[in-house]
Amino acid sequence: METFDTRFADLLRAASALASAHDCRMESYEEWDDLHRAILAAAEAPPSEGHPRYEFKGGTLVRHGTRACGAPGLHVCDVDDLEQVAHAIESKDREWFVVAELAGDTQRDWTVAYLAVEFLKRRGLVLDEEIANRLRAAPDFTAAQAIAEFAVGEMKASDREGRD
């Protein structure tokens, strides 16, 4: 489990790398992605059993987390967000990408793109490249399949709500 000091050190390292890349006029989406990830990790309490937790609620995918101060924190992604991210992934033509790049391509907030990617990773449609935070679409990835997975998740959640 990461301590606050470790998360703060990671945030400082990511911010320093971005500043250094910017100074050399060589910043890329990778530095921005690292910074966003470090901010999310520093702003939230360390992951624990049950947190972060993902669920469909009212037609949106919701990520429930706990802020470092103990207050609840949540991020949402709707089908339009996921569709735009899925099309951006498809346009990468099997090349690697990072979440910050998808956020820029779709003009979505980083956390929205992150949530869409996390959903697609859990469905096996997006894979870790195993170099830094690079990602790659699964060999059989299509935007249509990604949207279908989201619809199935919504339907299953609706069915569960109906039974409760």
Side-chain angles (χ1 to χ4, degrees), residues 7-115:
R7 292 181 290 143
F8 182 74
D10 288 344
L11 178 59
L12 184 58
R13 190 174 15 263
S16 296
L18 178 61
S20 191
H22 178 74
D23 288 346
C24 297
R25 294 180 177 26
M26 295 179 63
E27 67 191 270
S28 71
Y29 280 122
E30 284 186 278
E31 287 89 13
W32 283 107
D33 197 67
D34 289 346
L35 182 60
H36 282 289
R37 287 172 186 277
I39 290 169
L40 180 63
E44 288 190 333
S48 64
E49 189 174 325
H51 279 157
R53 180 174 53 86
Y54 299 85
E55 73 172 341
F56 281 95
K57 194 85 170 161
T60 60
L61 177 61
V62 180
R63 179 185 186 272
H64 297 271
T66 304
R67 296 183 187 276
C69 65
L74 46 98
H75 303 284
V76 298
C77 171
D78 64 23
V79 70
D80 183 55
D81 297 325
L82 181 107
E83 180 178 359
Q84 295 304 311
V85 168
H87 284 296
I89 292 170
E90 202 171 50
S91 76
K92 300 299 174 201
D93 200 31
R94 308 286 176 225
E95 295 294 322
W96 65 265
F97 55 88
V98 294
V99 173
E101 186 176 3
L102 301 176
D105 290 351
T106 62
Q107 299 189 9
R108 298 299 196 271
D109 186 72
W110 183 87
T111 55
V112 172
Y114 175 76
L115 184 50

Side-chain angles (χ1 to χ4, degrees), residues 145-157:
Q145 182 183 16
I147 296 162
E149 287 289 340
F150 194 90
V152 167
E154 283 182 304
M155 287 186 287
K156 286 181 178 178

